[in-house]
Amino acid sequence: MASNHLTGVGSESKQLATWYFTFAAILFGAQLLFGLVAAIQYVMPGFLFEIVDFSVARMIHINALVVWMVFAMFGAVYWLLPDETGIETVGIKIGKLLFWVFAGAIVVVVLVYLLVQVGPATESSIWLIHEGREYIEAPRWADFGIVVVALGFVFNLFATGMKGKQTGIVTVLMADMLAFAGLYLTGMFFTDNISVDQFWWWWVIHLWVEATWEVYVGAIAAYGLITMIGAHRKVVEMWLWIEVAMLFGSGILGLGHHYFWIGTPEYWWEIGALFSALEPLPLVAMFIHVLYDWGKTQGAEEAKGNPASVINNKPAFTWFVLNAFGNFLGAGIWGFFHTLPQVNLYTHGTQFTSAHGHLAFFGAYATILIGMMYMAVQGTNGIKVMKSTKSTIAATWMIAGGVMGMGIALTIAGYVQVMVSRAQMGATWAGYFDGQSGMWFAQAMDWRLFMGAVTMLGFVFLAKDLLSIGKATHHER
Amino acid sequence: MLAPINESVMIAEIALDDFLPIFISSSLVLVFGAVYAIVFTFVKVGAFKPWVMPFGYLGWVLTAYCLYLMGSLMHVGEFTQKALIVTMIGYLFLPHAIYYMIDRVHEENEHEVVSDNS
Amino acid sequence: MAKRSVWSDNRFWQRSAAWVTGFASILLIWLTFDTSAQISMGTDADLQNGVTKRVPAPTVINYKITYEMDTVRGHEVPVIGEKEMFFGRDDWSEEEAAELLHLGKLGSQSKNCMNCHTLLGNGAYYAPDLTKAWLDPAWGPEGSLQSMTGKSSKEEAMAEFLQHPSQYPTHARMMPDLGITAEEAQGLVAFLKHMSSIDTNGFPRNFGKIKGAVHGK
């Protein structure tokens, strides 16, 4: 089944995709490494003090996160474009050039973060060192670079989509990636008014991760279901449109849940509450859809007297299923339980947010992008049915288990913080440290560090597996 | 510096002992919600036996109860109260609607030549 | 071919998705206009005439700010009171105050405050929330942080701490030396004072309810 999609060899677009995936994987490693540094600092505050401070480690931790995901997202699109459109990607030379521009810029930005760290309170610090705005710290010069790179990418996507066969998946990706690139512009200005600053900052962060990125995941999942288990394209694509309606319908105005306490008017309480309550619904629906299609396709094959599994890429499919589950768990459950304003008043800005961030970024995005990397390995090695190795299994368990463990530990820490610092002490300096010194909080941080180390070890297995699984002999070729 | 707090005019405060039930019940809202949707779908496609179905609806009842518990402990306002009730009723029909749609598409596409994926 | 119902029609769902997205986007843009007007910075004249703005003018640094229960809204709001000295002056002009706030906001970004602290509740969770830091009893006349620095006013104590944070450890987790100059520290304190005057709909709840005492009510 679906073997006509495995045309990795000979497609320049797919070759470029593997470059993007490789660099993404390296940055993923960097993300985990600096996350580990920050986690150690919670347990041993003197660790690398005034050498690589928490602020620096965390900045690299979250920036590497965003950038590796963007790289892998671009890579996944370059990977699937030839399959979907039936032609070689238009403007592949520009794509390759932009890859090097992007990768080079990232290296420079990270080196400046590490070696310069902070600058004087001047405009030039914002332009040259970093902007000091969580997640989008990249200095202004790099902002412009990112815009150029994103525009080049969107151009290639549009040109290819319009020249070749424009499937539903490609159409969704075209609209979605245009919005994704455009939204970045709303985060590229400086203002003295911190409320206005954060208002627009959330346009980038929220409308990325809770709207455009989610739709992107829907499109990739649709592609995965068609290529990996041979799901019916018409059904999958119709479902994709329903998902787009549900995700944008709830996600765009779900932005309101970030506008409870930043100086914005009170009507955002109602808007935020209503649309946040709706946000889990598409996630439930996506989860059910994957299981439904899997069951249906397998059932149809078995009815034809073919009991073999319909899955032609075990490792990738495992990560896709983890995605459906993790999206619901991390973004859905962990998002919902602190989203209503009545309770968010106490949980806003505590480790709860951190727990949600870890589980949601991993569950909703890291999983499916790792799955795409495995699909690229399958394609470039011309494997018909790819099976897991011992390393695949070790990596999957350790990474998924490690992140889950961190999420639970951080949830416990957040609970202590809510009870002590927020509900009782009213969020003062003294109240804050009172919460941090509690035994439960301290132990939660120990466990978070341990689970972080497990995740890191899992990453080592993952890297090894991605590099070697293609050469394994137990696949069907 | 800080004025004395007149407790009687404040928006109802969440009691210290209520935080844990709130967090747990709001998580369970989604867990039971998923149970309802999964059981419903699986019974319909034949993966589960029909007698499991009542457990699906039990899941919906528990979802509604957890949401009620969460809402009352949080002291949500009137608007949110109404929104939550509408959401719950809507959620009762959602899996039916989704299943109906997916099923129609499958049926209507069954007789077509599948050209793009086999 | 079997007869198609509207529910399984790809075009129908494609159009629905477009309509839903378009409708939500237009609603968001409309709300953005309304919110932008409400959170734009007030003017010095507003302050003199007692006009309440969600985000007051930078000259708010000339006034005393308190955090008081609003009986109508049912939560605390910042209240701007009589004149108050800020670094020995209560006559910071509009230009001077704006310049100071500008310096402070730039400093808050270039020193990367947000990757340890939370501002308006957003940021990292490694250090205390700074939303209402200016109102923290610990920096007040009887507060432990003010006496620690040996300064006689809140703003001077904060500025001193910002310049030499590792000299004044308050916890095993210390603030690193970020090379903050005296001038930058003044700007940062102005930024913090201004931020505390922003109407955050009652966040953080019960701020300083226990007057900063570590134990007991």
Side-chain angles (χ1 to χ4, degrees):
Chain A
M1 296 212 70
S3 55
N4 58 333
H5 288 282
L6 306 176
T7 52
V9 194
S11 160
E12 284 203 70
S13 189
K14 296 204 165 199
Q15 191 200 5
L16 177 57
T18 61
W19 295 3
Y20 272 103
F21 285 139
T22 309
F23 196 72
I26 294 168
L27 284 172
F28 182 28
Q31 184 213 343
L32 298 183
L33 187 68
F34 283 93
L36 218 48
V37 170
I40 293 172
Q41 284 166 338
Y42 263 105
V43 177
M44 293 190 287
F47 182 68
L48 294 180
F49 182 68
E50 293 188 338
I51 301 164
V52 178
D53 283 313
F54 182 86
S55 54
V56 177
R58 185 188 188 257
M59 174 165 63
I60 299 178
H61 177 58
I62 60 177
N63 269 216
L65 159 81
V66 172
V67 177
W68 90 253
M69 287 185 172
V70 171
F71 262 81
M73 285 163 77
F74 285 10
V77 169
Y78 279 122
W79 182 266
L80 62 78
L81 266 184
D83 292 343
E84 288 292 308
T85 59
I87 59 166
E88 178 64 278
T89 301
V90 178
I92 199 73
K93 289 231 158 51
I94 303 174
K96 284 185 176 174
L97 176 71
L98 290 176
F99 169 82
W100 290 111
V101 171
F102 199 6
I106 298 302
V107 171
V108 174
V109 167
V110 171
L111 284 178
V112 170
Y113 283 175
L114 261 180
L115 302 175
V116 184
Q117 299 187 355
V118 286
T122 55
E123 314 267 347
S124 54
S125 294
I126 306 289
W127 275 87
L128 301 173
I129 303 171
H130 62 71
E131 288 183 38
R133 297 167 82 210
E134 195 187 8
Y135 293 112
I136 46 175
E137 284 97 343
R140 189 62 44 78
W141 73 264
D143 282 349
F144 284 100
I146 291 166
V147 169
V148 170
V149 169
L151 283 179
F153 166 75
V154 169
F155 169 79
N156 282 3
L157 173 58
F158 269 73
T160 316
M162 288 189 299
K163 188 177 162 203
K165 194 165 67 158
Q166 194 180 328
T167 61
I169 292 175
V170 172
T171 312
V172 170
L173 281 174
M174 281 160 69
D176 192 53
M177 288 290 107
L178 188 65
F180 165 78
L183 283 167
Y184 192 75
L185 297 172
T186 64
M188 282 176 55
F189 68 100
F190 176 85
T191 164
D192 292 336
N193 184 336
I194 183 138
S195 293
V196 173
D197 181 320
Q198 293 200 355
F199 181 88
W200 290 103
W201 175 70
W202 279 119
W203 268 60
V204 187
I205 311 300
H206 173 95
L207 293 179
W208 269 13
V209 299
E210 287 177 68
T212 49
W213 287 27
E214 285 283 1
V215 167
Y216 172 90
V217 163
I220 296 293
Y223 168 79
L225 287 173
I226 294 169
T227 44
M228 277 189 293
I229 63 173
H232 197 299
R233 178 179 284 275
K234 279 225 173 67
V235 182
V236 170
E237 287 197 339
M238 187 198 94
W239 186 248
L240 179 59
W241 286 114
I242 298 177
E243 277 173 10
V244 172
M246 288 172 88
L247 286 167
F248 278 150
S250 62
I252 290 176
L253 287 164
L255 182 55
H257 62 221
H258 301 292
Y259 293 161
F260 296 156
W261 326 114
I262 64 166
T264 37
E266 274 145 325
Y267 54 69
W268 288 108
W269 285 5
E270 276 79 27
I271 297 167
L274 179 64
F275 287 93
S276 300
L278 297 176
E279 274 190 61
L281 296 181
L283 306 180
V284 180
M286 284 163 94
F287 182 41
I288 289 176
H289 173 232
V290 170
L291 296 181
Y292 181 95
D293 260 19
W294 183 12
K296 201 86 183 176
T297 323
Q298 186 77 53
E301 282 303 298
E302 277 166 17
K304 281 188 233 158
N306 183 5
S309 170
V310 289
I311 302 164
N312 69 20
N313 188 332
K314 246 321 187 355
F317 195 72
T318 308
W319 282 106
F320 272 62
V321 171
L322 273 177
N323 170 260
F325 179 66
N327 208 347
F328 170 68
L329 188 82
I333 295 184
W334 254 264
F336 182 70
F337 78 58
H338 61 156
T339 196
L340 294 184
Q342 289 80 5
V343 76
N344 189 260
L345 176 56
Y346 300 91
T347 60
H348 178 52
T350 64
Q351 299 288 347
F352 268 125
T353 323
S354 178
H356 167 53
H358 280 80
L359 289 174
F361 268 113
F362 173 75
Y365 306 114
T367 45
I368 201 160
L369 295 171
I370 295 171
M372 282 305 294
M373 291 179 188
Y374 273 109
M375 288 184 73
V377 171
Q378 179 189 26
T380 38
N381 288 285
I383 298 166
K384 212 179 259 171
V385 178
M386 190 156 102
K387 291 172 182 161
S388 299
T389 64
K390 284 206 179 83
S391 297
T392 320
I393 294 161
T396 312
W397 276 104
M398 290 173 94
I399 295 177
V403 177
M404 190 66 215
M406 285 195 279
I408 291 170
L410 289 169
T411 305
I412 294 169
Y415 180 67
V416 176
Q417 227 182 333
V418 166
M419 297 299 283
V420 179
S421 303
R422 288 302 177 74
Q424 297 185 76
M425 304 294 290
T428 54
W429 186 292
Y432 173 83
F433 281 118
D434 223 22
Q436 303 288 303
S437 321
M439 187 192 72
W440 280 82
F441 186 94
Q443 286 196 0
M445 283 303 165
D446 293 345
W447 278 103
R448 193 274 289 270
L449 175 57
F450 174 73
M451 287 299 176
V454 171
T455 312
M456 183 83 215
L457 200 59
F459 171 77
V460 175
F461 278 104
L462 177 71
K464 181 204 158 234
D465 198 42
L466 284 170
L467 291 172
S468 63
I469 188 172
K471 311 284 177 295
T473 51
H474 67 310
H475 308 304
E476 276 174 46
R477 283 175 199 268
Chain B
M1 176 101 299
L2 291 150
I5 290 165
N6 176 1
E7 307 262 349
S8 64
V9 297
M10 286 166 70
I11 293 177
E13 180 118 29
I14 296 179
L16 214 50
D17 294 338
D18 286 349
F19 276 103
L20 195 59
I22 286 174
F23 293 132
I24 291 174
S25 59
S26 46
S27 307
L28 289 179
V29 166
L30 268 77
V31 172
F32 288 128
V35 166
Y36 167 52
I38 289 168
V39 169
F40 179 87
T41 312
F42 277 15
V43 170
K44 283 286 196 178
V45 297
F48 288 171
K49 295 262 174 351
W51 60 263
V52 188
M53 193 60 109
F55 291 94
Y57 286 100
L58 182 67
W60 179 82
V61 171
L62 289 170
T63 306
Y65 174 71
C66 286
L67 201 72
Y68 165 76
L69 195 68
M70 177 196 88
S72 51
L73 291 178
M74 270 188 203
H75 312 289
V76 297
E78 241 173 73
F79 175 83
T80 315
Q81 220 166 26
K82 282 178 194 143
L84 292 180
I85 292 171
V86 172
T87 309
M88 253 5 274
I89 295 171
Y91 192 63
L92 183 60
F93 295 106
L94 189 78
H96 292 259
I98 289 175
Y99 179 80
Y100 176 78
M101 285 186 298
I102 298 188
D103 205 48
R104 293 297 302 165
V105 188
H106 266 278
E107 236 166 64
E108 288 165 18
N109 288 299
E110 221 139 76
H111 308 292
E112 284 179 32
V113 183
V114 184
S115 57
D116 53 2
N117 63 353
S118 60
Chain C
M1 192 199 271
K3 196 177 155 287
R4 289 182 170 277
S5 67
V6 64
W7 299 111
S8 66
D9 180 8
N10 230 321
R11 300 287 304 171
F12 169 76
W13 287 110
Q14 194 173 347
R15 286 197 193 112
S16 303
W19 276 103
V20 168
T21 307
F23 186 70
S25 306
I26 287 168
L27 208 56
L28 176 63
I29 290 167
W30 178 65
L31 288 165
T32 296
F33 276 109
D34 186 80
T35 297
S36 294
Q38 291 202 45
I39 62 175
S40 64
M41 239 185 243
T43 61
D44 193 38
D46 288 338
L47 282 173
Q48 282 165 14
N49 302 329
V51 177
T52 313
K53 293 286 288 182
R54 300 193 68 93
V55 183
T59 41
V60 75
I61 57 174
N62 290 324
Y63 297 84
K64 182 172 174 152
I65 300 162
T66 51
Y67 199 43
E68 291 173 28
M69 180 59 64
D70 183 312
T71 48
V72 180
R73 295 168 66 186
H75 55 69
E76 298 98 329
V77 288
V79 174
I80 296 159
E82 72 264 33
K83 286 266 186 152
E84 178 186 78
M85 289 289 183
F86 186 73
F87 288 106
R89 293 175 55 189
D90 63 1
D91 57 350
W92 294 84
S93 72
E94 258 185 298
E95 293 75 38
E96 285 173 323
E99 217 170 279
L100 205 56
L101 180 66
H102 179 65
L103 179 69
K105 178 64 169 30
L106 271 177
S108 77
Q109 290 184 221
S110 59
K111 302 298 176 188
N112 215 351
C113 301
M114 208 181 184
N115 267 312
C116 284
H117 294 276
T118 37
L119 310 176
L120 303 179
N122 293 313
Y125 321 107
Y126 193 66
D129 181 61
L130 297 180
T131 310
K132 303 288 174 202
W134 173 259
L135 304 172
D136 198 311
W139 289 109
E142 291 121 51
S144 57
L145 291 170
Q146 190 178 122
S147 59
M148 178 180 71
T149 57
K151 298 285 174 184
S152 54
S153 75
K154 193 192 283 194
E155 59 273 20
E156 282 165 330
M158 286 176 130
E160 169 64 18
F161 177 80
L162 286 169
Q163 289 171 72
H164 312 288
S166 36
Q167 280 179 26
Y168 305 105
T170 58
H171 187 260
R173 224 184 275 163
M174 288 190 294
M175 178 166 155
D177 190 342
L178 299 167
I180 296 170
T181 64
E183 203 183 318
E184 287 171 347
Q186 250 188 32
L188 284 167
V189 178
F191 168 72
L192 290 174
K193 184 167 183 180
H194 177 258
M195 183 157 62
S196 77
S197 73
I198 295 175
D199 181 348
T200 49
N201 294 340
F203 173 85
R205 181 69 157 173
N206 292 332
F207 187 79
K209 186 187 188 181
I210 307 175
K211 302 244 170 192
V214 176
H215 301 289
K217 306 226 161 189

